[in-house]
Structures are given as structure tokens and as C-alpha cells.
Amino acid sequence: MIWRAHAAPPRASDASATSAAIAAPSIVLELVSKIYASGGGAGGESIEVAALRDVSLRIERGEFVAIIGASGSGKSTLLNILGCLDRPTRGRYLLDGDEVSGLTEGQLARIRNERMGFVFQAFNLLPRQTALDNAALPLIYSGVGRRERRRRAGEVLAQLQLADRVHHRPNQLSGGQIQRVAIARALIQRPNVLLADEPTGNLDSRTGREILEIFRAMNRDLGVTVIVVTHDPALVQSIPRIVRLSDGAVVEDTTRGAAAPPGEALP
Amino acid sequence: MSLWESILAALDSLRANLFRTALTMLGISIGVAAVIVLIAMGEGTKSYISNEFYSLGTNLIIVQPGRTETKSPLGPPPGAANRDLTIQDVRALERHGTLLSAVSPLMMGSATISIAGRQRDVMVLGTDDSLPSILSIGMANGRFYSENDSFAGRRVCTIGWVVKEELFGDANPIGSIVRVARSEFRVIGVMEKKGTSLGMDFDDIIFMPVRAYQKLFDQSALFGIRAKARSQEDLDAAVDQSRKILTRMHHGEEDFTMVDQEAMLSTMGSILDTLSYILAGIAAISLVVGGIGIMNILLVSVTERTREVGLRMAVGARRRDILKQFVTESVVLGFLGGALGIAAGLAGNAALGMLSDKFQPAVSAGTVAFAAGFSIVLGLLFGVYPAWRAAALDPILALRRE
Ligand SMILES: Nc1ncnc2c1ncn2[C@@H]1O[C@H](COP(=O)(O)OP(=O)(O)OP(=O)(O)O)[C@@H](O)[C@H]1O
Ligand SMILES: [Mg+2]
């Protein structure tokens, strides 16, 4: 029956992945490339655009990383691959020790649902649904009942100071509130990784700082790995690790000494 | 998400574009309503016709002169006979037709009937005393002529209700002498009001003994013979028996046409069935057009909601979740359209039924259930492709779209 909510069968490697997760780094990219073949060459031959070139990257659990770089340098592409929304053309991606590239579309959807949280720059919310239902959206796809969904969404929204906005629709919310609802949605499944693509791009600098402050708290208090794509130099300053992309390649990867060593943030 | 929740979600997103949803539904509704009304009219016509037939008596056997090769429900074309039916044929059927309860000759013509300066053109039936029982017509007043009157060809007649009203008003006509064409007849009875059956007004008619008719019109060939089988079970056997008797009377030649009421009805019924299926089929085309409307709107909706699909996928929706979401919307749309169409169709039937008391459109619960089921299937059928398009979207591209 297509109607029944359907949990994907447990993977054999689940148990080992959990035990390995303590020791294994959260995210490992090995020589990952993303190549787009786009038509339009003079002779009709297709031109290959490398959005990412041989990117290798390790991100430990509980790290807070900023991805920066010029427009078109491949930041979004990298974030989408990290979030299992997109697949690399070449290279390996190990998430908590598991090879991701061999997984089916359904398994990737489950990873996005349970282990990843996304926050985008704009059009983050479903316009016709309330803050409560927007925040609860991921729970629909893991088979949680309506009542329980709303209860949990209410809790997370309250933690984000939105208790009095739960029944508002996106067009009744400010930009900062919308991003907070999106963060609530990203956090509702208690993900390991929170991915944000220019989450403050549409906000004034003060609200932007507030949103970043929320990320910092999530990272510090819940041990969530946070990866943020941003253009905003003011925000970048306060983020412990910076990965700079240029033309699809990592050209800089610096961790500030002031940052807490990875692992210490874990409870 | 439970089925019920999916339906609520579908209703919710259909509500977001209420006017568009309503217009799309209308396509299905009109189709469903048309199918229901047309099927009901077909059924109504069928029962109207069979009522009309049975109002002329049951277990009726009709004999007309002339052989028709093709089986027409209405007998041979008049004038195609090569040997006439005669009173002797009637007598033979009366004598040997053990499965018949009554046999009557039938002659038909028209004449002017007058009394004391008033006159009227009426249809004249020449027949014998058993016709009233064959056609189940009763008397309002007086009596029908007897076997004796028939046999002797006495110039007596019974008149229909309208004839009586027109010629006599409130006066009692029994015993009066009326002039029919060149002869004088004594009125001995008034027929019960019968109304129109199969296009013939039984109240604007006079009946006279067949021999009197033959003399009056100087004509001996019968228009036809009407007989009644003893029972419904005997009807087929009675037809066979009568056919043998008449064939023998006609020296082994079957130069007449014999139809029984049931055969006529079932021939009529199947013609009407074919007709109403053709009409319903035409109406069903409008349903398909409605389905295409659903598909069109859903394709637009998928394009508009690309971003939504991308977001849902980003938070963990699988392709089949997206597929299910859009198919559910389409099925709900089809069902709502169908329900509205059924309501409109039934209302239309009720309105048509009020126009006449003889003709009543009728649909069975099965037809209604079929219409409801069909509109759901339609929603499913025309929803699958747009839903598949939505499910096949690349989440990355969907999220890039603004
Ligand atoms: N579907 C696609 N087909 C072809 N090329 C693509 C496609 N998607 C992305 N690219 C190319 O890949 C490169 C990297 O794109 P990406 O969106 O990752 O850049 P970005 O760093 O996020 O830029 P911005 O800061 O403007 O968002 C760009 O040159 C882009 O044109
Ligand atoms: Mg980008």
C-alpha cells in the first residue's frame, strides 16, 4: 500500500556506524569533484563545468565551519553534497564512517531526514502552512503522528522564542522569525549536522548576528556540527574554522586557535 | 502520514487556489452529471415504454398481414401483405389455440360521427367482444357488445370518453342513435377513460362489431389480429401454436408476422439501451476532457510548487512521498468533482421528473457508485503523470528555482 508511512529497513551497518561514530570523524570528503556537462559549445559539443575539483575535507563532530568564497566558487554545491541532497561525480564521501555514494535515493532521503538539518537563504518555509506545521515538516517523513509532531514543533519553537508565533504563516512573520522557524525545522529531528546556505543573506546585520548566535548555541549546547556558507565578513570573524573555495577548489582551511578542540563540545 | 491526513493536506492545498480548483472540478462535474442524467433518461424512457405496452394488456400476441424478413419491433410496413388476414383466421385461432385466452380481429379506419347537428371525426375500431379483455379496457357506462352482436354484425357501438363528452355533454348517451358515415348505430356503452397509449388516444374512438365495420367500409381484409396468451409462461408456446394454426390456414405459407409483447419490449429495450449507452459514451468524452483539465492544472501546480517539492525533499521526502502527495490531490479533486456532478445529476433528474408524471428518469445506486468510482479513477489516471513529474524533480534544481 502506498498510503502507509514506510520506514526504510534498518541497514546492517547501522550498529557499527553508531559505535564507530565516536571515534570516526563526522564527515570525510576524499578528492570529491562535481562536474556539470552543459551544452552550448560552438561546435555543439558539451562543455564541462567543474563546480568542485578534488575537494578533500575532514570535519569532526561538533565543529563549527564557515564556507566562504566568491560567487560561483562552488559553496552551495559543496554544501548540497555534504547534506546528501546531491551526489559527487567523483570521489568518496564518508558520513560517520559510511560510504554515502553507494546509497539509494530513499536511503539518502532518510539521512537528510534524520541526520541533516537545512537552512536556506530564502523561501525556506511552505507559504500556506503555519510556523508550527513548517517546523514539524520533517516529522511527516519519519512517520510521526500529527499530535506528536505538533507537540515537538511547539517545544522547539518555544526554545527559539517563537512560542507566540506558532500559528502565524510565513507572510505574517519577519525575516528573522522566518529563519528561526527554518532553524526549528532543521533541529526538530536532533540532527548531527546543520547546514546553512547564506542563512543571513536576507537579514539586517543585527538579526544576522542573532541567527548566528543561535547556531553557536546549538553547536555549543547540543554538539551539533554546524556548516555555514556565508558572504558576511562580520560573521566569518567569529566562526572558528574557515574553508575558502575558489573555482571549485579549497584554497584555504584555517582553524583559529581560540576554537574549542573538536570533541570537547560533546556532552 | 495516514490516508486521512493525506486527504486533509490535499484539501488544504486545493483550497489555496479555490477558484482554480472549482473550475477544474467543474469539468468533471459536468461530465458526471451528463452521464447520470443521460443514463437516467434512458432508463426512464425504457420504463415509460414498457408501462405504455403493459397498459395495453399483458401477454399480448400481435399478428399483422405480410411477411417481414428483418425483425422489426413494429411489424411489417402496412400494405406489404400478399395475403390478407381474415375472420376465418380469427375463428381458427379461437377454435384451435388452446394456449390462447382470447382472440380478436382488428380493423381500423376513421369516420365522422354525428348526432343532432353535432359531429366529430373519430377513429373507428372494428373488433369483437373479447378486445376489451385483451387490451384491458373497462366500461364506464352501459355494456360492450356481446358475442352475439359481433357475430350478427349488429349496428351497435361503444364510444370513448371524449366522444361522449363532445357529442352528448352531460346527457346519457346509452340507447341513442348516432350516425357513423352513412349508417346509423345505437350507442350501447361508454368506455372507461384510458388516455393515450403509444400515441393512440383510446378516448377518442368508437368500437363496433367487426362485421358491421366490414359492411360500413365495404372491406373484408383485417388490419390485424390481437390475441392474449393464457399466461406469461405460455407466451412462447402460444406464439408457436398460433403460428402453426395460421400457417395451416394459409396453405403452408407463413405470409404473416407474429410478434409477442415480450419480444417487442426486449427489442425496444435493447435499441434504447444501445441508444443510452451511445449517449452516455458521448457524455463520458466530456469526462475525459475534464480529466485532461485536471492534468493541465496539476502540471501548472507542479511548476508553481517546484520550490515546495525541493524543500520537502531537503527535509527527507522520498520521491514516492511527493508522488503520493500529488496523486492524492488529483484523486481528491476527481472525487469532489464527481460528487458534485452526482448531486447535480440527481437534481437534474428530479427536475426532469417533475415535468411529467408518466416519464420518470431513474438511476440505480450502482450507476451512481460507478460514477463516483469513475471520477476517482479519472483523478488517479490523469494525476499520475503530473505527480510523476513532481517526484522526478532534481531537489537541487528545485531549490535553485525562485
Ligand atoms: N546544474 C548546473 N549545471 C551547470 N552548472 C552548474 C549547475 N549548478 C551549478 N553550476 C555551476 O557550478 C558552479 C558553482 O555553483 P554554486 O552554486 O555552488 O556556487 P556558489 O559558490 O554557491 O555561488 P553563490 O555564492 O553565487 O551562491 C557555478 O559556476 C555554476 O554555474
Ligand atoms: Mg550558492
Side-chain angles (χ1 to χ4, degrees):
Chain A
M1 277 305 293
I2 60 165
W3 303 119
R4 202 172 304 135
H6 214 285
R11 283 171 298 129
S13 56
D14 266 0
S16 60
T18 321
S19 56
I22 310 296
S26 175
I27 285 169
V28 176
L29 294 186
E30 288 175 3
L31 295 172
V32 163
S33 296
K34 180 73 187 181
I35 290 152
Y36 289 109
S38 49
E45 79 278 16
S46 70
I47 296 175
E48 291 200 336
V49 177
L52 291 178
R53 309 167 193 267
D54 297 335
V55 171
S56 295
L57 200 63
R58 294 168 72 92
I59 299 175
E60 313 292 334
R61 262 185 163 243
E63 267 198 278
F64 195 148
V65 184
I67 299 174
I68 61 172
S71 183
S73 57
K75 305 183 295 294
S76 297
T77 306
L78 177 58
L79 200 77
N80 290 335
I81 286 176
L82 292 176
C84 296
L85 258 177
D86 202 357
R87 295 166 190 266
T89 313
R90 280 200 308 266
R92 283 192 347 138
Y93 175 13
L94 297 166
L95 177 64
D96 294 334
D98 286 337
E99 172 78 57
V100 166
S101 30
L103 299 183
T104 65
E105 190 271 334
Q107 288 168 322
L108 291 179
R110 189 163 175 212
I111 289 178
R112 294 198 294 274
N113 183 251
E114 293 175 352
R115 298 203 243 168
M116 304 287 171
F118 284 95
V119 179
F120 302 101
Q121 176 176 356
F123 308 103
N124 249 311
L125 305 183
L126 299 182
R128 288 188 308 272
Q129 300 199 356
T130 60
L132 199 65
D133 285 336
N134 264 295
L137 194 61
L139 298 181
I140 287 181
Y141 300 110
S142 54
V144 178
R146 188 185 176 87
R147 188 182 303 241
E148 172 69 2
R149 287 204 305 264
R150 295 199 155 167
R151 189 188 64 73
R152 278 165 65 179
E155 262 177 35
V156 181
L157 287 172
Q159 281 167 23
L160 291 161
Q161 271 74 50
L162 286 167
D164 54 344
R165 293 288 185 276
V166 288
H167 298 303
H168 287 54
R169 286 169 210 282
N171 59 7
Q172 301 164 320
L173 295 170
S174 74
Q177 286 166 342
I178 286 176
Q179 290 311 70
R180 264 143 68 200
V181 174
I183 293 170
R185 184 187 63 203
L187 291 176
I188 197 159
Q189 288 276 56
R190 300 191 155 276
N192 301 340
V193 185
L194 196 138
L195 303 138
D197 198 346
E198 301 189 38
T200 62
N202 285 4
L203 304 177
D204 60 51
S205 57
R206 214 189 70 136
T207 317
R209 275 198 304 279
E210 279 170 23
I211 294 298
L212 198 77
E213 207 41 59
I214 295 171
F215 286 152
R216 211 188 310 281
M218 297 306 154
N219 175 250
R220 189 181 56 228
D221 302 339
L222 303 175
V224 178
T225 308
V226 179
I227 305 171
V228 186
V229 169
T230 184
H231 275 311
D232 189 341
L235 295 186
V236 174
Q237 278 178 6
S238 59
I239 295 177
R241 181 176 171 190
I242 290 162
V243 174
R244 183 188 299 275
L245 291 182
S246 176
D247 214 4
V250 177
V251 291
E252 180 193 335
D253 186 351
T254 46
T255 307
R256 236 173 293 247
E264 201 168 285
L266 284 172
Chain B
M1 210 156 44
S2 68
L3 173 58
W4 181 236
E5 253 195 274
S6 307
I7 291 172
L8 286 181
L11 283 172
D12 212 51
S13 73
L14 290 174
R15 218 176 42 208
N17 257 313
L18 207 53
F19 189 59
R20 193 157 86 180
T21 302
L23 283 181
T24 312
M25 264 167 53
L26 206 59
I28 298 287
S29 301
I30 290 172
V32 167
V35 168
I36 285 197
V37 168
L38 287 170
I39 287 179
M41 298 223 329
E43 285 302 312
T45 308
K46 236 165 84 175
S47 65
Y48 168 74
I49 286 183
S50 80
N51 284 341
E52 290 279 286
F53 266 90
Y54 285 122
S55 75
L56 290 179
T58 49
N59 307 330
L60 204 60
I61 298 169
I62 293 162
V63 189
Q64 299 292 111
R67 176 83 195 140
T68 39
E69 293 306 329
T70 51
K71 249 187 147 182
S72 149
L74 298 175
N82 42 17
R83 192 195 309 251
D84 297 333
L85 289 170
T86 62
I87 298 284
Q88 282 66 46
D89 292 328
V90 177
R91 297 292 165 254
L93 286 173
E94 274 174 344
R95 201 168 312 128
H96 305 296
T98 51
L99 296 173
L100 302 176
S101 65
V103 185
S104 280
L106 191 65
M107 300 187 79
M108 268 201 269
S110 62
T112 305
I113 174 170
S114 59
I115 180 169
R118 297 200 198 193
Q119 61 174 52
R120 185 169 180 81
D121 288 326
V122 294
M123 177 162 256
V124 181
L125 283 193
T127 183
D128 67 11
D129 55 292
S130 38
L131 194 75
S133 80
I134 295 174
L135 299 186
S136 48
I137 315 175
M139 304 300 298
N141 208 347
R143 62 174 182 90
F144 205 76
Y145 43 85
S146 65
E147 193 177 345
N148 231 337
D149 296 330
S150 302
F151 193 72
R154 292 209 175 89
R155 293 209 303 271
V156 292
C157 68
T158 65
I159 59 178
W161 185 259
V162 172
V163 182
K164 181 244 159 198
E165 289 289 302
E166 291 294 322
L167 293 186
F168 296 94
D170 289 337
N172 182 7
I174 308 292
S176 309
I177 305 292
V178 292
R179 177 165 281 277
V180 181
R182 294 157 279 106
S183 300
E184 291 184 329
F185 281 73
R186 179 183 303 278
V187 178
I188 59 169
V190 179
M191 309 303 295
E192 203 173 64
K193 236 186 192 156
K194 173 107 178 152
T196 306
S197 265
L198 293 175
M200 184 156 151
D201 186 354
F202 278 82
D203 296 334
D204 202 4
I205 235 173
I206 71 173
F207 294 83
M208 62 175 63
V210 66
R211 288 191 192 283
Y213 182 103
Q214 287 175 323
K215 250 182 245 158
L216 183 66
F217 287 87
D218 192 20
Q219 183 186 337
S220 65
L222 300 182
F223 172 80
I225 298 173
R226 298 293 178 266
K228 189 179 172 75
R230 277 193 324 206
S231 67
Q232 168 118 43
E233 295 80 68
D234 288 336
L235 189 55
D236 286 341
V239 169
D240 283 345
Q241 188 186 50
S242 307
R243 180 174 286 125
K244 283 199 188 98
I245 294 167
L246 284 188
T247 307
R248 199 170 333 117
M249 287 295 290
H250 290 207
H251 309 291
E253 216 178 312
E254 196 183 322
D255 52 4
F256 54 87
T257 303
M258 193 174 289
V259 215
D260 68 84
Q261 201 175 14
E262 299 301 320
M264 282 173 76
L265 262 180
S266 73
T267 311
M268 288 293 248
S270 64
I271 290 174
L272 284 169
D273 276 347
T274 312
L275 205 68
S276 60
Y277 288 138
I278 290 172
L279 287 176
I282 292 169
I285 292 173
S286 75
L287 267 177
V288 172
V289 174
I292 293 171
I294 288 193
M295 181 144 123
N296 188 25
I297 283 304
L298 279 176
L299 283 172
V300 171
S301 160
V302 167
T303 313
E304 283 177 355
R305 288 157 70 189
T306 301
R307 180 80 195 180
E308 172 186 335
V309 172
L311 270 182
R312 286 180 183 272
M313 284 179 167
V315 302
R318 291 157 301 175
R319 298 203 182 280
R320 76 169 102 142
D321 294 317
I322 302 296
L323 190 78
K324 187 176 106 177
Q325 181 191 344
F326 280 90
V327 168
T328 306
E329 279 183 30
S330 170
V331 167
V332 167
L333 200 60
F335 176 76
L336 289 180
L340 197 76
I342 288 170
L346 293 180
N349 287 346
L352 282 172
M354 276 190 283
L355 295 179
S356 150
D357 50 343
K358 272 192 169 180
F359 175 74
Q360 289 296 325
V363 274
S364 62
T367 306
V368 171
F370 178 79
F374 193 74
S375 49
I376 288 176
V377 168
L378 214 65
L380 191 71
L381 222 61
F382 287 96
V384 164
Y385 175 67
W388 175 82
R389 285 269 294 256
L393 283 173
D394 178 355
I396 305 296
L397 294 180
L399 285 166
R400 270 178 199 275
R401 184 84 65 89
E402 288 179 5

